[in-house]
Amino acid sequence: MIKTLKNNKVSNHLMLIVFSLLMLYPVIWWVGASLKTTAEMSSPSIWPSTPIWENYTKGWQFSPEFTFGRFFGNTLLMELWNVVGGVLTSAIVAYGFARINFKFRGALFSILLLTMMLPGQVTIVPQYILYNKLQLMDSYIPLILPHFFGGGAFFIFLLVQFIRGIPRELDEAAKIDGSSVYGIFYRIVLPLIKPALVTVAIFTFIWSWDDFFAQMLYLNSVGKFTVGLALRMYVDQFEIQWGRLLAMSLLSVVPSVVLFFFAQKQFVEGIATTGLKG
Amino acid sequence: MLAATLGLTACGNGGANNGQSNAEGKSNNSDPNAPVKLKIMWQGADIRHQAMLKTQEVYTGLNPSVTFSPEYMAWDDYWKKLPTLAASHSLPDVLHMDGAYIQEYATRGTLEDLSDIDLTGVIDEKTLDNLKINGKLYGIPISRNAQGMAYNKEALEAAGIELPKKDWTWDEFFDFARNARAKLPEGVYPISDTDTWDFYEYYQMGYGKGTIIQEDGKKFNLDKDLFMKFYGIFAEFRDKKIVPPADMVSAFKENDPQADPMASGKVMTRGATVGSVGALEQLMPGKIDVVNLPVGPEGGGWAQPTIFLSVSTDSKHKDAAKAFIKWFVTDKKAGETYGTNFGIPIYDDVYNAIEPSLAPKEKLGKKLYDTAKDKALPFSPAAAGWTEWVDNYKKTMDAVLFGQKSLEEAYNDISKSGNALAEKLSKSSK
Amino acid sequence: MKAEAVHKPAAARLRLTKKKAKSSNRNNLAGYIFISPWLLGFLLLTVWPIIQSFYLSFTEYSLLEAPTWTGTQNYANIFKNDTDFTTSLKVTFIFVLFSVPLKLFFSLMVAMMLNKNLKGMNLYRTAIYFPSLIGGSIAVAALWRNMFNLNGYFNHVLSWFGIQGVGWITNPHTSLATLILLNTWQFGSTMVIFLAGLKQIPNELYESASVDGASKVRKFFHITLPMLSPVMFFNLVLGIIGSFQTFTAAFIVTQGGPINSTYMYALFLYDKAFKHYQMGYASALAWILLVIVALMTAINFLVSRYWVFYETDGGKQK
């Protein structure tokens, strides 16, 4: 019995290691390519003949005025607001849709879902004109604000599904103990959907990191650029500074990886703290 | 508000020697020293950004009342952002324009007519006339450009193949390909296949049948005989493996270190412009040389400016913007500051001042320009509203390359959509 | 509250609620307080651009000049003589049809694999999630091309099994399949949602099932799947909505080619709007897509009542 369990463990590890390596091939390629000269990029070998560390140092030293430190600072600050806004408001809105019967709930929920189905390409220009009229150009507000309004249909719907997975008897028990709907939300539901909230935080972070189109439209001064925008400056019409581009893009993934690494521990803790009874 | 009153009439004393163009402001009864902040936007790489910022600093030094609010980014983002700015009427005062886009922006009323900027003795009349759209000048050219070809000199010499010569004819070009095939190793090709409209158009124009899109997009002119003959030769080349197979061709991506037809070592020649040949030189340092495009009886290729500075109709400081542009193109000090960062400067005096300090890739660009100049025909970009037809031309020819369409079908598709579009545009303009 | 039809899926239940008009004033107030962040944002920031885009779909609008009213001409042109429309719709349907189930299946399998208490699981999870972290930058486009070109990584792996690969993304016969694969490779987000869902299933259920001597397979079908069904439903609905709007992969890797073989609807729409200066036409395309996706979603909600299981008081499946 113990032996098969052990074997099981070993084979599990083996499988996971092989699978991880397969998925990690891009990193290996990426690290190698980020140390190459542009002329060497075309060679099939993964590793450079002599590593060009300059891609990192010069790449970081973006221009005489700004380093990538500035861009990371800008992006992380924006992200902090996005994540706080997204996690906070999406849970509140989701609870309303999932647990409370109010007039026009069905209709409003359908509208919520419909807003996801219209491709953003056709609303972005009217939206830009709107923000332009509000004189919010060259600021992070147009980028952050939507996260404070429920964080978008995706997250609201996600949390609605999670909240509906929580046994109602918990609500009822709390109600008997004299809790209001607000109390139930805060003391019962919120702790129970922690894994889902962590998911919201991770996705908000990663997706706003990637959302270059809106950033490009709303940020004008280079001093306010995000990492994503700064990276795009390395891609000229004819000449791409491949070494620096790849080096800095690799660095730009690091915050997301670190965040994910630490945040996903919450999934493990998730079980311990919920302690649901069937 | 102050700027609108600044009223710098740039058509004052002409010539190239005015580093103090703000002095011309007195023709208007406004205060020339009223402060103006010009919004200016351009695209490029970091060296260009730095040079441009420096140039603006110099200008502000000479004209303390004029300061700048600069916005700059790389090519892709620039052209993605511009339409949205136009839609919200917030285009900058001064903006960078390109030959590939100026038609769309000019004919749709977003750009100011700059004909009143006097460039006598700076840019010749003929060049300026070529650049006019509906008789108006919507952008002041700042550098020269030309279309030619680059070839892998090192590899061709090693294989004992005679190098392309200046002013080679289309027949010589095809013969070069046939001869080189025999001497090159398998998997390496003398020329690439072609699927874009412009390369065929050079052929049609060279043989005197004119441009494909005429009268600002209201007339369509695709010569069937030349079309069938030109692509017939490429069909033969496809069979004889003188050009690469279709799926290799569709993987090519110019200036990408791994996917560039030449940098990847798969093809010996490709089209190049003054701007792009420098990038290729970076990918294969010291290995390449340039020649002009094959010529027909009428000539071949083009040599003319494609980078412009324009003033938007949204601007509230049009005169100040024009004065800056004039100074930018005609002043030697300006030229020394931005150097070759926008290509080979258009004004000879400015160019001669910086010529001694050219880098190898810039010299190659200049060589391309000089080679292409003699036989050059007018540059003919797609007219406004034709971008989609241009895309579809390529898709249709790709279907031919992959053997999914016959040449006859391709001709019919392309000319049908071209004629329909020309008809639609000529109707809507009436 | 107890009387609520708890086995019914969202849409059905919401409808029931309305019919019974059970909502009290107090509930109304609380409900609107809770959803107020979204409602405010919707009214202030979202609704106007949506109305605008609907209006623009009846105009010719180049962005560079003011829109001109053309009535239903855009819609007529789309349905009557736009072969790119039919092509891109076909390509997109094929993409959705294959990529949604593939991604769901694959990410559920991986989520189950990663839902174990093993040492170093943090690292495995992060490594496996990595491809989904890298987004859609130009660097990534280079990476993808490198993986799938003629002498790329993918063909290298195939050669271990004695298979001779082709230029996957540059061959019109394989390019779409490659994009589907690529999309599946970035299964991370779906997987993370599954993982969070798996974590929400009470361990007690498995424990008591073990006591009853249930097999692994039985546990999967009788505990995991039903308990996970709300999350599964979410991933399915969002997978379909998202796949219909797939853009990045086609945009940066294939640009829709070769010969339109990967010309996704969203890419076609983008080209129309920002490359060919036909925002009015693009808006009409967007609204057509909205109708299609809304129909698919409605069907999904209707069907979901037969398979999605929501937690209820004591309503455990035993």
Side-chain angles (χ1 to χ4, degrees):
Chain A
M1 178 80 181
I2 289 168
K3 208 177 166 189
T4 53
L5 221 97
K6 240 187 187 163
N7 276 342
N8 212 352
K9 243 184 184 172
V10 171
S11 66
N12 267 334
H13 274 294
L14 259 177
M15 201 165 74
L16 283 166
I17 288 171
V18 170
F19 190 45
S20 300
L21 282 179
L22 222 65
M23 298 301 276
L24 277 180
Y25 166 81
V27 196
I28 299 161
W29 177 86
W30 205 338
V31 172
S34 75
L35 292 169
K36 286 179 175 180
T37 61
T38 302
E40 207 184 352
M41 289 287 164
S42 53
S43 95
S45 102
I46 281 192
W47 208 248
S49 49
T50 24
I52 311 289
W53 296 104
E54 219 176 51
N55 287 340
Y56 283 86
T57 53
K58 289 246 171 94
W60 182 268
Q61 190 65 50
F62 178 76
S63 74
E65 303 122 301
F66 308 110
T67 68
F68 256 86
R70 169 87 169 231
F71 305 132
F72 273 98
N74 289 343
T75 321
L76 288 172
L77 195 70
M78 179 191 81
E79 288 279 16
L80 184 73
W81 287 107
N82 288 353
V83 170
V84 168
V87 169
L88 214 73
T89 57
S90 62
I92 295 172
V93 175
Y95 180 77
F97 276 120
R99 277 294 202 256
I100 303 171
N101 285 321
F102 54 88
K103 230 176 169 181
F104 304 123
R105 179 172 73 164
L108 286 172
F109 193 70
S110 305
I111 290 177
L112 171 79
L113 290 182
L114 280 172
T115 59
M116 254 191 306
M117 301 175 199
L118 193 68
Q121 288 112 322
V122 297
T123 50
I124 196 154
V125 171
Q127 202 144 40
Y128 182 88
I129 294 172
L130 188 71
Y131 282 116
N132 193 32
K133 283 197 175 125
L134 298 170
Q135 309 242 312
L136 292 172
M137 289 303 105
D138 206 20
S139 82
Y140 299 102
I141 295 174
L143 303 170
I144 293 173
L145 210 55
H147 294 277
F148 278 87
F149 288 120
F154 184 96
F155 294 129
I156 296 172
F157 186 28
L158 175 72
L159 292 181
V160 164
Q161 291 305 94
F162 271 92
I163 291 172
R164 299 182 70 202
I166 297 170
R168 244 163 211 276
E169 59 188 17
L170 291 176
D171 298 30
E172 299 297 325
K175 209 178 256 174
I176 292 162
D177 292 345
S179 282
S180 64
V181 275
Y182 310 101
I184 294 171
F185 168 68
Y186 186 71
R187 281 184 291 118
I188 312 281
V189 173
L190 215 47
L192 286 179
I193 55 168
K194 211 165 130 195
L197 285 177
V198 172
T199 311
V200 172
I202 295 175
F203 289 176
T204 302
F205 188 90
I206 293 168
W207 292 344
S208 16
W209 198 278
D210 271 350
D211 181 22
F212 88 90
F213 202 93
Q215 294 166 9
M216 176 198 76
L217 286 185
Y218 293 118
L219 301 176
N220 300 338
S221 349
V222 177
K224 288 180 183 163
F225 272 17
T226 58
V227 172
L229 287 184
L231 282 174
R232 300 178 66 81
M233 300 280 274
Y234 283 136
V235 185
D236 192 21
Q237 185 185 7
F238 301 119
E239 233 171 307
I240 298 177
Q241 302 188 46
W242 282 102
R244 293 178 194 188
L245 173 69
L246 290 170
M248 289 303 111
S249 333
L250 191 58
L251 281 193
S252 85
V253 185
V254 171
S256 300
V257 175
V258 171
L259 174 82
F260 183 78
F261 182 80
F262 288 106
Q264 51 90 38
K265 279 188 178 158
Q266 298 297 318
F267 298 146
V268 186
E269 281 164 26
I271 347 165
T273 47
T274 53
L276 287 184
K277 245 199 114 247
Chain B
M1 17 126 214
L2 296 160
T5 60
L6 202 85
L8 293 175
T9 46
C11 42
N13 46 11
N17 53 345
N18 50 343
Q20 71 287 30
S21 44
N22 70 328
E24 296 165 44
K26 59 180 169 293
S27 65
N28 239 329
N29 54 358
S30 61
D31 176 11
N33 294 319
V36 173
K37 194 163 193 133
L38 283 180
K39 259 184 88 182
I40 178 164
M41 214 170 141
W42 71 93
Q43 63 79 23
D46 192 55
I47 351 171
R48 179 186 286 175
H49 301 329
Q50 296 311 322
M52 191 68 169
L53 291 171
K54 196 92 214 296
T55 311
Q56 288 158 25
E57 226 172 77
V58 172
Y59 189 73
T60 302
L62 295 166
N63 308 270
S65 61
V66 182
T67 51
F68 294 89
S69 160
E71 201 184 322
Y72 47 95
M73 59 207 87
W75 172 267
D76 271 1
D77 286 359
Y78 186 81
W79 299 108
K80 273 180 196 144
K81 187 163 184 168
L82 227 44
T84 311
L85 293 183
S88 62
H89 291 288
S90 45
L91 282 174
D93 301 299
V94 178
L95 67 158
H96 188 160
M97 264 291 140
D98 186 273
Y101 288 90
I102 195 165
Q103 301 257 347
E104 299 281 353
Y105 281 83
T107 54
R108 287 174 164 140
T110 58
L111 303 180
E112 225 14 55
D113 179 16
L114 303 177
S115 310
D116 60 347
I117 297 183
D118 183 13
L119 294 164
T120 326
V122 177
I123 304 169
D124 64 274
E125 210 53 34
K126 204 181 131 208
T127 308
L128 287 178
D129 279 346
N130 263 342
L131 296 173
K132 284 189 174 157
I133 300 164
N134 296 327
K136 287 178 179 162
L137 189 65
Y138 290 100
I140 301 298
I142 56 178
S143 64
R144 306 162 213 225
N145 198 0
Q147 173 74 53
M149 287 189 104
Y151 58 88
N152 191 333
K153 189 178 174 188
E154 192 190 68
L156 286 176
E157 274 174 349
I161 298 162
E162 199 184 333
L163 298 179
K165 278 195 297 282
K166 181 175 171 335
D167 300 338
W168 56 342
T169 64
W170 282 99
D171 288 336
E172 286 167 338
F173 169 72
F174 292 130
D175 283 341
F176 160 83
R178 288 190 188 95
N179 296 336
R181 168 68 285 162
K183 293 182 180 168
L184 287 169
E186 205 185 323
V188 177
Y189 303 87
I191 61 173
S192 186
D193 214 332
T194 172
D195 55 4
T196 55
W197 77 294
D198 51 351
F199 199 62
Y200 164 70
E201 194 187 47
Y202 299 137
Y203 186 74
Q204 181 172 314
M205 285 170 78
Y207 280 93
K209 298 288 181 180
T211 58
I212 296 177
I213 304 165
Q214 301 184 347
E215 295 169 20
D216 292 318
K218 293 181 201 100
K219 195 176 164 223
F220 182 72
N221 167 43
L222 188 66
D223 187 274
K224 188 171 183 182
D225 292 342
L226 283 177
F227 182 92
M228 300 304 281
K229 189 175 165 207
F230 180 78
Y231 287 111
I233 295 170
F234 276 95
E236 172 210 322
F237 282 11
R238 227 164 286 136
D239 289 341
K240 294 182 178 161
K241 299 202 160 74
I242 294 172
V243 295
D247 60 346
M248 186 187 281
V249 173
S250 67
F252 287 150
K253 203 169 153 43
E254 286 189 0
N255 305 315
D256 179 297
Q258 292 180 312
D260 184 275
M262 277 177 73
S264 64
K266 301 218 169 73
V267 184
M268 291 292 110
T269 57
R270 75 161 170 84
T273 58
V274 173
S276 75
V277 77
L280 187 61
E281 218 277 334
Q282 299 287 96
L283 292 179
M284 12 188 356
K287 289 183 188 167
I288 61 169
D289 207 344
V290 291
V291 63
N292 55 339
L293 275 182
V295 299
E298 296 287 312
W302 48 265
Q304 74 186 49
T306 56
I307 299 182
F308 311 97
L309 285 179
S310 295
V311 176
S312 80
T313 42
D314 295 335
S315 169
K316 294 190 184 76
H317 314 285
K318 285 170 189 148
D319 292 323
K322 285 182 191 174
F324 169 71
I325 292 176
K326 179 168 185 191
W327 174 82
F328 189 92
V329 179
T330 57
D331 190 89
K332 252 187 225 166
K333 191 156 183 205
E336 276 165 18
T337 316
Y338 59 76
T340 52
N341 280 301
F342 290 91
I344 305 162
I346 186 102
Y347 184 30
D348 285 329
D349 287 5
V350 170
Y351 175 72
N352 293 336
I354 58 170
E355 197 185 3
S357 56
L358 292 186
K361 64 168 188 174
E362 289 158 354
K363 284 189 185 133
L364 203 60
K366 181 68 165 67
K367 185 176 175 192
L368 178 62
Y369 177 79
D370 291 338
T371 318
K373 202 171 52 182
D374 297 345
K375 296 268 178 182
L377 293 169
F379 176 57
S380 74
W386 282 78
T387 52
E388 197 172 15
W389 177 85
V390 167
D391 277 7
N392 284 332
Y393 187 106
K394 182 174 181 303
K395 285 171 187 171
T396 310
M397 291 318 297
D398 280 341
V400 174
L401 259 58
F402 277 102
Q404 296 183 358
K405 252 191 189 133
S406 76
L407 207 45
E408 186 82 27
E409 284 169 323
Y411 174 82
N412 289 338
D413 287 1
I414 290 169
S415 69
K416 194 178 147 206
S417 62
N419 281 318
L421 184 55
E423 195 184 333
K424 189 189 152 209
L425 288 173
S426 58
K427 255 188 212 153
S428 67
S429 70
K430 266 168 201 164
Chain C
M1 278 276 213
K2 276 197 175 184
E4 258 193 38
V6 280
H7 280 271
K8 303 277 164 145
R13 200 168 88 182
L14 294 172
R15 212 172 309 112
L16 268 180
T17 319
K18 207 174 151 189
K19 223 179 271 169
K20 287 182 190 163
K22 274 182 74 177
S23 41
S24 66
N25 282 337
R26 219 178 57 180
N27 270 348
N28 281 341
L29 181 67
Y32 280 96
I33 287 177
F34 272 104
I35 68 158
S36 61
W38 168 73
L39 199 58
L40 263 176
F42 176 71
L43 294 174
L44 291 178
L45 300 176
T46 321
V47 86
W48 175 244
I50 289 177
I51 294 171
Q52 276 282 304
S53 80
F54 188 64
Y55 158 73
L56 290 175
S57 75
F58 298 98
T59 67
E60 195 178 314
Y61 182 34
S62 69
L63 289 176
L64 307 183
E65 56 202 337
T68 46
W69 182 263
T70 54
T72 54
Q73 204 188 319
N74 287 332
Y75 291 95
N77 283 341
I78 289 170
F79 289 117
K80 259 192 283 172
N81 39 27
D82 191 337
T83 50
D84 281 349
F85 168 72
T86 33
T87 309
S88 65
L89 204 58
K90 200 181 99 195
V91 167
T92 308
F93 264 105
I94 296 173
F95 181 84
V96 172
L97 198 67
F98 285 93
S99 98
V100 172
L102 258 176
K103 203 167 172 172
L104 274 185
F105 175 77
F106 196 56
S107 48
L108 179 58
M109 290 303 112
V110 178
M112 306 243 320
M113 199 163 89
L114 295 179
N115 188 31
K116 290 176 181 146
N117 282 321
L118 278 181
K119 252 199 188 136
M121 191 51 97
N122 292 348
L123 284 175
Y124 294 134
R125 280 190 195 142
T126 312
I128 290 167
Y129 191 62
F130 188 83
S132 313
L133 271 175
I134 57 182
S137 72
I138 298 124
V140 177
L143 170 73
W144 279 347
R145 278 204 302 272
N146 180 269
M147 288 186 70
F148 288 105
N149 67 18
L150 207 52
N151 28 22
Y153 168 69
F154 189 67
N155 280 346
H156 188 66
V157 173
L158 283 184
S159 71
W160 297 344
F161 306 97
I163 302 167
Q164 167 83 51
V166 296
W168 295 95
I169 48 179
T170 54
N171 185 315
H173 300 293
T174 55
S175 51
L176 185 57
T178 312
L179 281 199
I180 291 170
L181 202 81
L182 231 149
N183 188 262
T184 312
W185 183 60
Q186 294 199 310
F187 60 87
S189 324
T190 319
M191 185 268 289
V192 165
I193 293 168
F194 273 133
L195 203 55
L198 287 171
K199 285 301 176 196
Q200 221 190 14
I201 303 175
N203 254 337
E204 290 88 338
L205 291 181
Y206 292 106
E207 278 157 20
S208 62
S210 295
V211 172
D212 296 347
S215 70
K216 265 189 179 174
V217 178
R218 207 183 145 75
K219 278 192 228 163
F220 176 77
F221 281 106
H222 288 260
I223 300 171
T224 312
L225 269 191
M227 293 301 286
L228 207 56
S229 60
V231 173
M232 178 86 87
F233 176 61
F234 173 84
N235 275 338
L236 177 70
V237 170
L238 267 294
I240 290 176
I241 294 176
S243 299
F244 267 106
Q245 297 181 36
T246 300
F247 175 73
T248 313
F251 183 62
I252 65 174
V253 183
T254 62
Q255 285 87 46
I259 338 171
N260 281 348
S261 60
T262 58
Y263 206 33
M264 299 288 179
Y265 197 88
L267 180 60
F268 171 48
L269 193 155
Y270 173 89
D271 279 354
K272 280 281 184 188
F274 292 101
K275 202 172 168 195
H276 306 318
Y277 309 97
Q278 301 175 29
M279 185 51 100
Y281 198 91
S283 299
L285 286 174
W287 280 86
I288 292 168
L289 185 68
L290 174 95
V291 171
I292 295 171
V293 178
L295 274 176
M296 306 288 277
T297 309
I299 293 171
N300 243 320
F301 268 92
L302 284 177
V303 174
S304 75
R305 71 174 72 181
Y306 300 107
W307 67 275
V308 179
F309 169 84
Y310 289 103
E311 251 309 346
T312 85
D313 4 25
K316 291 275 148 354
Q317 289 208 334
K318 278 258 160 82

